Amino acid sequence: MAARNLDEIRHWFDEGCSGRTMTERFTAGTDRLVKEIFQSVDPDADVALMATGGYGRGEMAPFSDVDVMFFARDRRDTKASEKVLYKLWDTGLDISHSFRTPRECIEEATKDVRTRTALLEARFVAGSSKIYEMFRKEVYPEVAQRRQKEFVRDKLREMEKRHLDSGDSVYLLEPHIKEGEGGLRDIHTAYWLSKVALRAGSMQDFSGLLGSNEYKRFLSAYDFLLRARFALHVESGRKNDVLSFEYHKAVAGLLGFSDSRKFRGAERMLRYYYLKSRLVRELARKIVVKCSKTYVNVFRDLLVRKVTEDFSISGGRIIVTSRDLFRSNPDKMMEAMYLFSNIGKRFSEATKEMIGANLLRIGRRTRSSPAAVQHFLSVFRGQRVYETLREMNDSGVLGRFIPEFGALRCLVVHEPYHMYTVDEHTLMAIRNLEALRSTKYKSLEDLHEIFNSLERVDTLFLALLFHDIGKAAGRHHEEEGYKRLKNILARFNFDVRKRQRIEFLVRNHILMSTIALRRETTDREVIAAFADAVADAENLKAIYLITYADMSAVNPEFWTAWKAYLLRELFSNTLRYLSGIREDRNGYIRDLQGLLPGCGRDVLVDFIRQMPERYRLSTTKERVIEDFKLAKKAHAEGFAMRIESGADGVAELSVSAPDRQGLFSSIVGFLSSRGLNIVGGRIFTGATGIVIDRISVSNLREIWWEGLATDLERGLREILVEGRPLAVARRERTAGSPFDVFIELDNEGSEEFTLIEIFSPDRLGLLYDISDVMYRNGINIVSARINTEAGLAQDIFYIQWKEAKIDFMSAERLLSELWQMLLQ
């Protein structure tokens, strides 16, 4: 039915219909069809056909399920129901059905919270009105009033789990309109609880729970969510409640959001969505709290304890001693936030309302007030930095006190891999940095030690708070961000040293991640340039911590063991460089001999001498010995392989073979065909022509089986030694990506190598195809950084052509073929 009505629904958008009007019209159309079919089969059947679920609430969307229940006195009345059901199926409706008697309704509702929920919103559609009255008088009271405390508890747990499963944030770039935090299901939960706990009849009763003004705001937000869901169903052409990237532009257009000078229509639409979703979360939570108070035992400390002249603790909450305090002295709102941070208590509901009512009083005078600034900065020296900033942001105080940050609120900027709005990403970065103080994760041990070794970490928190401050200026925000940062630091009157440290960290917050993910971190040029940029060990430690916090807040999966390894390697190499550590070559050789007794010095010296300098810089002495054995075996047999599994989850396959064109391409093509996820590659070619390729893979544990190592070794031997043709499976690239293919060739970033960066939607066989194009153009891949996430590939290759940088003509030909291959 929905597919035939899509053109009509588009016309509803053109008319400017509200979301509730759309759901009412669509539900009424479904009612007419269902009633007509029921009456055509057996209008006198002693059965009531009732709508449940979203259909029962009258909240139908174009591709919603049609949930119905046939209700009868006993099981003898099923025949007519079956005939109706078959006819409904013939219409193409997605029917979900049940048949229940009064006794079955009560028994099933007692056992299953979902059945009970469905019966709470059951609505008469067709059939016997007398039978429906039996349901209203005999069944509904039992369903609504039995075991109320258990129902409230189960629904609260269900809501908490649902929020965690859907991302635990309103501010997701791909929000779930129905199940996400601040989505329609939060409204439904408040509705169900109000029916059981407060015996509410409909959502109109929310007016009494919220007050007239808040109820109007609630209806406006509810209406927008319904409208957005309708638009998503129309544009995706199916039942779909996840507003994913591929539908952002189309849904924004249908909802009337166009591009502005600074932001795309999709970005503007999402920002509006978050404002409404946040309101739904707050108001639905208010109703839920009122509904659950009767059933949740809360110990109240009724003693009032004075904290300052203006603030006290009552019932475990911070209260204000004078209702006019914030109106007469808005600086006190910042003192309230300091107390929130310092004494570990939350605000009372009355205090929150007073803060909200006086937000607009925070102006220029408060922003420059020495007392307010001092209270604000004290938060960053406390133990509840994230929690306090979260409260400040949610209440609106942070955005009023620092309007440059307020401009980031609910701001959407489409960037690769990012899952959250700009302000949410910032707060999560601060949360992750603060968590290093007491983390027990073994993988974060080095970051934990560095964090706790610093005397003052408030500078780091401030730098993180301001690190994306320029994004409110639009797509090209870097310079504007620096201007805004200067204004903030001037207001706060920082000393020169602190100001310079914050400016350095903000301006360079992506420097370390860029180098670690895109450059060879054992290259002396790279290490020297990065060391020059950070200048000293304190800056290095600070930027390492900020890089972790920033990257770990992109999305829950963005911080990986492989990225952690690359950053740790860059940090260690740079710290050694800044410390002036140099290794004695003779001592180095003696240590190697100690690890391999009986091996002559000359043999080891020859092996080390023939390998490039970057090999020694990036290889432990223990691994040099293993590589020596590997190369020796490859020289005798034509091929050798070793697998090492790291504690961080990244495994390394070392392959040694005589050098030849296309060697790396063949290796990665074969490994990809076996399902291995390649995240990095380093290629070391000895002067005598023996090659050691190190291929890092991230999923060896997940796909491991007892014979995998043997299978890999046999397969590689057949290809590299016996010359068996390589068959590489291919798959279409991921659809719906908002990001385009990008290729950059850099002949200036390294003295020896040309760098090629490729950014593209991922697909099976992509890495092989890239390396194959290079092989066919006579390009030698010296090193590679492979990064694939969320359907996007971002790969950087260090290459040479005829043992030098690539020339203009060869570069033009290579780029042309890469573009042609990637756009197929």
Side-chain angles (χ1 to χ4, degrees):
M1 183 183 78
R4 293 197 297 271
N5 291 340
L6 290 186
D7 289 340
E8 181 184 351
I9 293 169
R10 286 184 183 277
H11 187 61
W12 294 351
F13 281 97
D14 294 337
E15 289 177 357
C17 287
S18 69
R20 281 176 295 152
T21 300
M22 290 181 183
T23 57
E24 287 166 6
R25 286 184 182 181
F26 201 86
T27 303
T30 306
D31 280 352
R32 286 193 295 272
L33 178 62
V34 171
K35 194 168 187 175
E36 182 183 313
I37 288 173
F38 189 96
Q39 290 177 339
S40 70
V41 173
D42 191 349
D44 299 322
D46 210 15
V47 175
L49 190 155
M50 297 160 65
T52 60
Y55 183 29
R57 288 190 301 274
E59 201 182 85
M60 293 281 285
F63 290 92
S64 293
D65 293 340
V66 180
D67 298 321
V68 296
M69 180 179 76
F70 296 95
F71 180 73
R73 287 188 178 89
D74 53 53
R75 283 271 166 187
R76 289 176 296 180
D77 297 310
T78 59
K79 272 193 174 180
S81 303
E82 287 175 0
K83 290 179 182 177
V84 171
L85 192 58
Y86 288 137
K87 281 209 166 189
L88 287 172
W89 279 334
D90 288 341
T91 65
L93 290 174
D94 192 356
I95 299 289
S96 177
H97 72 284
S98 61
F99 184 100
R100 294 189 180 101
T101 63
R103 182 178 175 181
E104 288 170 342
C105 283
I106 294 169
E107 287 179 352
E108 291 179 31
T110 304
K111 295 175 185 175
D112 179 36
V113 69
R114 290 191 176 184
T115 302
R116 186 174 182 179
T117 304
L119 294 175
L120 284 174
E121 49 197 5
R123 176 176 60 85
F124 178 73
V125 178
S128 171
S129 57
K130 289 182 180 179
I131 295 294
Y132 175 68
E133 279 304 305
M134 180 197 301
F135 174 84
R136 293 296 305 167
K137 291 178 180 178
E138 298 178 16
V139 176
Y140 184 83
E142 289 288 321
V143 170
Q145 294 167 26
R146 273 192 182 188
R147 301 168 71 174
Q148 293 173 321
K149 183 176 180 179
E150 184 179 317
F151 179 77
V152 171
R153 184 195 64 203
D154 289 346
K155 280 297 170 188
L156 292 176
R157 285 178 179 170
E158 185 182 272
M159 182 167 71
E160 183 179 7
K161 183 180 183 302
R162 176 168 47 79
H163 288 170
L164 287 171
D165 290 345
S166 61
D168 199 23
S169 174
V170 167
Y171 309 103
L172 301 174
L173 294 193
E174 293 186 299
H176 199 302
I177 298 175
K178 188 175 180 183
E179 302 290 346
E181 189 170 356
L184 290 167
R185 192 63 86 202
D186 281 4
I187 298 173
H188 303 159
T189 300
Y191 172 57
W192 297 326
L193 293 181
S194 67
K195 287 176 81 71
V196 169
L198 306 177
R199 300 192 181 184
S202 69
M203 284 189 192
Q204 290 179 348
D205 293 322
F206 285 178
S207 177
L209 295 171
L210 297 173
S212 59
N213 287 335
E214 284 195 336
Y215 179 61
K216 286 178 184 176
R217 294 170 67 213
F218 166 79
L219 285 182
S220 172
Y222 177 42
D223 194 85
F224 178 76
L225 291 184
L226 291 175
R227 208 161 182 266
R229 189 178 182 220
F230 252 77
L232 180 57
H233 277 220
V234 169
E235 293 299 343
S236 60
R238 59 186 172 86
K239 179 184 175 182
N240 176 24
D241 296 321
V242 178
L243 189 50
S244 54
F245 286 125
E246 60 186 302
Y247 300 116
H248 283 183
K249 185 176 180 180
V251 169
L254 198 55
L255 292 175
F257 291 89
S258 57
D259 291 352
S260 68
R261 186 173 59 86
K262 291 184 179 179
F263 300 105
R264 300 182 182 95
E267 293 169 344
R268 296 177 62 223
M269 178 266 294
L270 279 173
R271 194 172 198 184
Y272 191 75
Y273 174 91
Y274 298 131
L275 293 171
K276 297 300 183 182
S277 184
R278 188 181 69 227
L279 185 64
V280 164
R281 180 191 63 183
E282 291 169 359
L283 297 183
R285 189 176 290 168
K286 220 178 228 189
I287 296 169
V288 167
V289 168
K290 289 183 178 180
C291 292
S292 57
K293 272 184 179 177
T294 312
Y295 306 101
V296 179
N297 294 322
V298 179
F299 172 73
R300 290 278 183 193
D301 179 5
L302 300 179
L303 182 68
V304 176
R305 178 167 60 88
K306 194 172 184 180
V307 179
T308 68
E309 286 299 318
D310 301 304
F311 299 95
S312 299
I313 302 294
S314 175
R317 303 281 176 168
I318 301 171
I319 64 170
V320 180
T321 54
S322 167
R323 291 199 62 84
D324 292 330
L325 177 66
F326 297 145
R327 185 164 62 85
S328 60
N329 190 352
D331 292 11
K332 289 291 180 179
M333 278 185 266
M334 198 53 66
E335 184 179 349
M337 293 299 167
Y338 164 69
L339 292 174
F340 178 98
S341 168
N342 194 42
I343 63 181
K345 302 292 183 183
R346 307 193 75 82
F347 295 126
S348 69
E349 287 300 318
T351 303
K352 285 184 178 181
E353 288 175 7
M354 290 171 63
I355 289 172
N358 290 281
L359 273 180
L360 295 181
R361 299 184 185 278
I362 298 177
R364 288 185 179 180
R365 192 191 65 79
T366 299
R367 291 173 196 136
S368 301
S369 161
V373 168
Q374 205 51 45
H375 281 128
F376 176 71
L377 295 179
S378 295
V379 168
F380 295 89
R381 295 191 288 271
Q383 300 294 309
R384 298 175 73 199
V385 180
Y386 163 72
E387 200 175 347
T388 308
L389 289 175
R390 168 64 69 188
E391 181 68 30
M392 291 174 70
N393 195 51
D394 288 350
S395 65
V397 170
L398 185 58
R400 289 295 302 173
F401 188 67
I402 306 178
E404 296 89 346
F405 188 85
L408 303 180
R409 200 170 188 193
C410 301
L411 178 64
V412 176
V413 178
H414 281 133
E415 294 180 306
Y417 317 120
H418 277 257
M419 185 176 180
Y420 305 104
T421 58
V422 178
D423 60 328
E424 184 74 356
H425 161 75
T426 299
L427 292 177
M428 287 189 167
I430 290 171
R431 178 196 66 184
N432 295 349
L433 179 65
E434 188 173 28
L436 290 176
R437 198 191 308 270
S438 56
T439 185
K440 301 298 182 185
Y441 287 111
K442 187 80 173 171
S443 60
L444 299 177
E445 197 170 43
D446 64 322
L447 290 160
H448 165 73
E449 290 175 1
I450 293 169
F451 182 89
N452 288 322
S453 72
L454 298 177
E455 288 185 20
R456 296 281 298 268
V457 294
D458 55 324
T459 304
L460 301 186
F461 288 122
L462 284 162
L464 271 178
L465 184 66
F466 305 141
H467 82 280
D468 277 340
I469 208 84
K471 287 187 177 177
R475 296 182 184 90
H476 306 292
H477 63 271
E478 290 80 3
E479 199 56 41
E480 181 61 30
Y482 185 61
K483 292 177 187 175
R484 295 181 184 200
L485 176 64
K486 285 279 194 184
N487 292 335
I488 298 169
L489 299 181
R491 289 203 302 273
F492 288 173
N493 197 28
F494 286 139
D495 61 59
V496 173
R497 187 177 176 186
K498 192 168 187 177
R499 181 181 302 192
Q500 287 176 343
R501 176 64 61 85
I502 293 173
E503 287 177 359
F504 165 78
L505 292 174
V506 171
R507 296 191 81 170
N508 295 284
H509 71 272
I510 65 169
L511 176 64
M512 190 173 188
S513 60
T514 300
I515 291 173
L517 298 180
R518 299 173 60 183
R519 296 292 184 263
E520 180 53 72
T521 52
T522 58
D523 188 326
R524 281 191 181 276
E525 292 178 63
V526 172
I527 296 169
F530 183 55
D532 287 344
V534 298
D536 58 49
E538 285 300 301
N539 274 344
L540 176 63
K541 291 175 183 178
I543 203 168
Y544 185 25
L545 292 169
I546 279 188
T547 301
Y548 158 73
D550 189 25
M551 290 177 69
S552 64
V554 169
N555 68 54
E557 286 80 41
F558 191 73
W559 178 258
T560 63
W562 173 241
K563 291 185 181 125
Y565 167 77
L566 294 176
L567 286 165
R568 189 163 55 247
E569 182 180 61
L570 178 59
F571 173 79
S572 300
N573 288 339
T574 308
L575 188 61
R576 286 169 61 85
Y577 183 94
L578 289 169
S579 304
I581 295 175
R582 297 291 183 270
E583 194 145 29
D584 174 51
R585 189 176 183 85
N586 290 327
Y588 181 81
I589 297 297
R590 281 196 301 272
D591 290 345
L592 290 178
Q593 284 182 290
L595 294 170
L596 190 62
C599 181
R601 174 185 172 85
D602 292 343
V603 177
L604 278 174
V605 169
D606 285 345
F607 176 71
I608 294 297
R609 185 179 294 144
Q610 70 170 283
M611 301 305 290
E613 178 69 10
R614 58 191 177 82
Y615 171 81
R616 188 168 68 86
L617 288 171
S618 64
T619 309
T620 63
K621 294 166 186 172
E622 291 77 11
R623 187 169 288 185
V624 167
I625 297 301
E626 295 302 315
D627 287 348
F628 172 73
K629 295 175 183 177
L630 194 74
K632 189 175 179 180
K633 183 179 179 182
H635 185 76
E637 301 178 14
F639 160 80
M641 186 190 84
R642 181 179 74 246
I643 298 178
E644 297 169 278
S645 295
D648 55 7
V650 177
E652 191 166 83
L653 278 72
S654 296
V655 178
S656 184
D659 190 21
R660 65 173 175 81
Q661 282 290 324
L663 180 64
F664 180 75
S665 175
S666 297
I667 294 171
V668 299
F670 172 76
L671 295 179
S672 296
S673 72
R674 288 296 193 269
L676 291 171
N677 182 38
I678 299 170
V679 294
R682 284 179 177 171
I683 302 154
F684 304 105
T685 305
T688 58
I690 201 74
V691 173
I692 295 175
D693 283 357
R694 292 183 190 152
I695 312 296
S696 301
V697 297
S698 63
N699 64 336
L700 191 69
R701 288 179 185 175
E702 288 85 342
I703 68 170
W704 182 263
W705 52 282
E706 191 174 344
L708 179 60
T710 303
D711 177 69
L712 293 176
E713 187 166 2
R714 183 174 57 246
L716 283 170
R717 185 179 296 278
E718 289 174 353
I719 291 167
L720 302 180
V721 179
E722 299 170 16
R724 181 172 65 82
L726 175 65
V728 179
R730 288 177 172 79
R731 180 183 65 218
E732 293 297 319
R733 65 179 183 173
T734 305
S737 171
F739 307 107
D740 297 324
V741 171
F742 167 82
I743 306 176
E744 182 177 61
L745 187 146
D746 177 9
N747 251 337
E748 304 298 326
S750 170
E751 288 185 8
E752 297 180 64
F753 309 111
T754 297
L755 279 66
I756 286 191
E757 179 178 2
I758 296 174
F759 185 83
S760 168
D762 189 33
R763 59 171 171 77
L764 191 64
L766 177 63
L767 180 56
Y768 170 76
D769 285 343
I770 292 170
S771 55
D772 187 55
V773 169
M774 293 187 184
Y775 157 61
R776 287 188 280 103
N777 280 273
I779 301 298
N780 181 31
I781 300 173
V782 178
S783 182
R785 282 281 190 268
I786 313 300
N787 185 38
T788 304
E789 288 176 278
L792 295 172
Q794 186 174 13
D795 303 337
I796 294 92
F797 299 90
Y798 277 60
I799 65 171
Q800 285 185 326
W801 182 70
K802 296 182 178 180
E803 299 184 358
K805 293 183 184 181
I806 193 168
D807 63 22
F808 174 77
M809 295 299 293
S810 300
E812 188 176 39
R813 184 169 59 251
L814 175 63
L815 291 175
S816 175
E817 290 191 27
L818 284 171
W819 274 110
Q820 188 176 358
M821 179 272 296
L822 291 170
L823 295 175
Q824 282 179 349

